Amino acid sequence: MNISVIGTGYVGLVTGTCFAEMGNNVICVDIDRKKVEELKQGIIPIYEPGLEKMVLKNYEIGTLNFTTDIKEALAKTDICFIAVGTPMGEDGSADLQYVLAVAKSIGENMAHHMYVIDKSTVPVGTADKVKTMIQETLDKRERDLTFDVISNPEFLKEGAAVSDFMKPDRVVIGAENEEAFEMMRELYAPFTHSHDRLVTMDVRSAEMTKYAANAMLATKISFMNEMANICERVGADVNQVRHGIGSDTRIGYSFIYPGCGYGGSCFPKDVQALAKTAKDYGYEPRILDAVEAVNYDQKRVISDKVIKRFGESLNDKTFGIWGLAFKPETDDMREASSITIINELTKRGAKIKAYDPKAEHEAKNHYLKDNDNIEYMGSKYDALTDSDAMILVTEWKEFRSPDFDEMKKRLKSAVIFDGRNQYNRKRVEENDFEYFEIGV
């Protein structure tokens, strides 16, 4: 099948590449000329396991191409995915300016029937706005062309996006007619041939499904973090509580690990956008507001523990930070807890030695570029040299079984603040470390 994907960010690049991997002819479109040229040279703008190799292979054999010319792309394809960003507006709503700009461009350049598919995470009712924009633009051109607008939300986990796309646990399709559903079944058949993973529904329900899924997962995280905070105050151990409730099959173990808050491109933005949508329709989303409020506070739990241990003034203190990305296996630092923790410490005079295997570039050039109190180190142990404590923020695999003897040699004082409850307390304390975790 002939497919165009508008937007070469995280979702667009993964989507286009995976469709190309299955033998489709894919053209990825972006207005950023520099990015397009770099993609043609094999320079991938994001880190995602398995993606670079797949992009290079499919570009080389010609199933995957990149361009800035949307007219050319639409002329050669009849399926068009919209995969541009929907950043959070000042009021918490999803900013649709890029989605609607693409819709207008489709209306200006399409020359035959198109299947227009919303892949971006968008509020309920966006497909109607896309449809209106395309139709109004066609009317101005005085072109009598037909098109379908379909909702096909993505459920990709950063760090496992390629695997998630190639082996989906479900593919949600929202459409208005059987022809559109049938086209989508054919498109996704190579990914779902062993099991029928397609879930079909109306367009608005499909749009809502994406937000509801992310809000549910965020709710589990904030709920467990709230339990951790209560455990800490009443003398219980949240790690034992987690095992106790996770063994209940109605609850399960997924997303009930306490930590220093969620981040990334999805959960913070989507929870707030869904809450804003609810309020726009006259409903007060009390649970969603609480989920976000708990997460806001949770990002400060580790810095509060550091301040309680070392004092409000940290002028003569240095802390080794392990992990900057919001989660392992990605370089994404959007809404990462590390940003809050580092800023809370440095504004009190602390110096930071930070190490992350993938996210250093993002920190230096974007999220922490204005913070002059950070030194970026080449290894996890280098970040501990002459530091007053180690702070674990991101649970990368290389941090799971550290050499505690080496850590003690490097650190000024044997102190660990564990923001992800990664370590066995008994083992840490046997190595004569002062150990601070969450919910204990």
Side-chain angles (χ1 to χ4, degrees):
M1 303 178 83
N2 298 312
I3 303 165
S4 52
V5 180
I6 315 302
T8 60
Y10 180 81
V11 174
L13 189 56
V14 172
T15 297
T17 303
C18 289
F19 278 130
E21 178 73 6
M22 288 302 190
N24 297 288
N25 296 309
V26 179
I27 303 174
C28 289
V29 184
D30 204 292
I31 60 173
D32 187 334
R33 292 185 179 277
K34 183 174 182 290
K35 181 190 281 190
V36 168
E37 288 305 312
E38 288 179 344
L39 283 165
K40 289 179 178 180
Q41 296 167 25
I43 301 171
I44 311 303
I46 58 173
Y47 172 72
E48 182 63 38
L51 181 61
E52 182 177 4
K53 182 179 179 181
M54 198 177 285
V55 170
L56 295 176
K57 182 186 81 172
N58 284 282
Y59 181 71
E60 184 177 343
I61 64 177
T63 55
L64 180 64
N65 286 284
F66 304 99
T67 184
T68 58
D69 190 340
I70 190 171
K71 185 174 183 177
E72 175 193 3
L74 294 180
K76 296 178 180 179
T77 61
D78 44 28
I79 300 169
C80 178
F81 282 88
I82 300 177
V84 293
T86 53
M88 186 165 56
E90 292 183 4
D91 60 355
S93 63
D95 187 344
L96 296 177
Q97 63 171 310
Y98 304 113
V99 170
L100 296 179
V102 171
K104 183 179 180 182
S105 188
I106 292 171
E108 290 172 339
N109 292 286
M110 62 183 285
H112 52 260
H113 181 275
M114 296 291 302
Y115 292 102
V116 179
I117 305 167
D118 282 332
K119 199 68 173 172
S120 301
T121 300
V122 293
V124 176
T126 299
D128 293 336
K129 294 178 180 179
V130 169
K131 187 175 182 178
T132 298
M133 177 63 77
I134 294 174
Q135 189 59 60
E136 288 179 350
T137 308
L138 286 172
D139 290 344
K140 289 179 181 178
R141 291 175 59 197
E142 298 182 348
R143 293 297 304 272
D144 186 19
L145 297 173
T146 58
F147 61 95
D148 290 285
V149 177
I150 300 165
S151 176
N152 175 217
E154 54 87 13
F155 297 95
L156 307 177
K157 298 185 296 292
E158 291 194 47
V162 172
S163 175
D164 286 347
F165 201 103
M166 299 300 285
K167 298 177 181 179
D169 52 11
R170 83 282 206 195
V171 177
V172 173
I173 307 295
E176 296 179 329
N177 58 70
E178 186 55 37
E179 290 78 10
F181 282 125
E182 189 56 38
M183 184 279 297
M184 294 297 284
R185 288 190 188 98
E186 181 181 352
L187 179 62
Y188 276 101
F191 304 93
T192 61
H193 67 277
S194 59
H195 295 89
D196 185 7
R197 304 290 190 182
L198 262 69
V199 183
T200 58
M201 58 187 71
D202 64 88
V203 172
R204 286 190 169 228
S205 295
E207 291 172 331
M208 183 66 182
T209 297
K210 168 65 175 182
Y211 278 103
N214 279 352
M216 183 66 198
L217 296 175
T219 299
K220 291 185 74 174
I221 294 170
S222 279
F223 175 84
M224 204 63 206
N225 282 333
E226 185 147 283
M227 292 303 102
N229 295 332
I230 296 172
C231 284
E232 200 166 311
R233 286 157 177 78
V234 302
D237 183 338
V238 73
N239 300 307
Q240 296 182 44
V241 172
R242 178 178 62 80
H243 282 292
I245 67 173
S247 58
D248 186 330
T249 55
R250 297 170 301 174
I251 298 172
Y253 289 103
S254 297
F255 288 85
I256 62 167
Y257 288 81
C260 50
Y262 59 74
S265 63
C266 294
F267 289 2
K269 175 172 68 72
D270 293 355
V271 170
Q272 292 183 49
L274 183 55
K276 178 63 167 58
T277 297
K279 291 169 184 176
D280 287 345
Y281 281 82
Y283 181 79
E284 197 64 31
R286 289 169 290 177
I287 291 177
L288 295 179
D289 286 344
V291 167
E292 186 61 22
V294 168
N295 192 60
Y296 178 88
D297 291 340
Q298 198 68 21
K299 291 182 177 181
R300 290 156 178 79
V301 166
I302 286 294
S303 55
D304 287 346
K305 288 178 182 291
V306 173
I307 293 163
K308 184 177 180 180
R309 167 62 175 78
F310 288 97
E312 183 68 30
S313 175
L314 301 173
N315 285 322
D316 60 343
K317 302 300 179 186
T318 300
F319 299 101
I321 299 284
W322 282 10
L324 296 167
F326 87 93
K327 62 179 286 189
E329 301 301 330
T330 182
D331 59 355
D332 194 345
M333 281 189 64
R334 284 174 286 186
E335 303 288 335
S337 300
S338 62
I339 300 170
T340 301
I341 293 168
I342 288 171
N343 286 336
E344 287 295 317
L345 298 179
T346 56
K347 76 180 184 182
R348 291 172 171 82
K351 301 291 185 182
I352 299 296
K353 292 183 177 182
Y355 169 71
D356 188 286
K358 294 296 178 182
E360 179 182 327
H361 179 270
E362 292 296 305
K364 277 183 176 179
N365 293 283
H366 300 289
Y367 299 98
L368 292 166
K369 65 179 181 180
D370 297 324
N371 194 324
D372 297 325
N373 294 309
I374 306 171
E375 183 180 1
Y376 296 95
M377 313 305 294
S379 77
K380 63 189 179 203
Y381 296 120
D382 287 346
L384 304 185
T385 302
D386 295 326
S387 292
D388 292 278
M390 184 274 269
I391 302 173
L392 176 69
V393 183
T394 312
E395 60 276 35
W396 286 94
K397 288 179 182 177
E398 67 174 276
F399 301 154
R400 289 183 183 177
S401 299
D403 183 335
F404 288 111
D405 289 335
E406 182 66 23
M407 292 174 70
K408 279 203 295 187
K409 289 178 186 176
R410 302 273 189 142
L411 288 165
K412 284 184 181 178
S413 52
V415 181
I416 294 174
F417 294 91
D418 187 348
R420 298 297 176 184
N421 289 16
Q422 281 284 288
Y423 303 127
N424 179 284
R425 172 174 284 275
K426 182 179 179 182
R427 184 182 173 213
V428 174
E429 291 180 341
E430 283 175 351
N431 282 275
D432 299 321
F433 276 88
E434 195 176 348
Y435 185 54
F436 299 87
E437 56 185 326
I438 291 173
V440 181

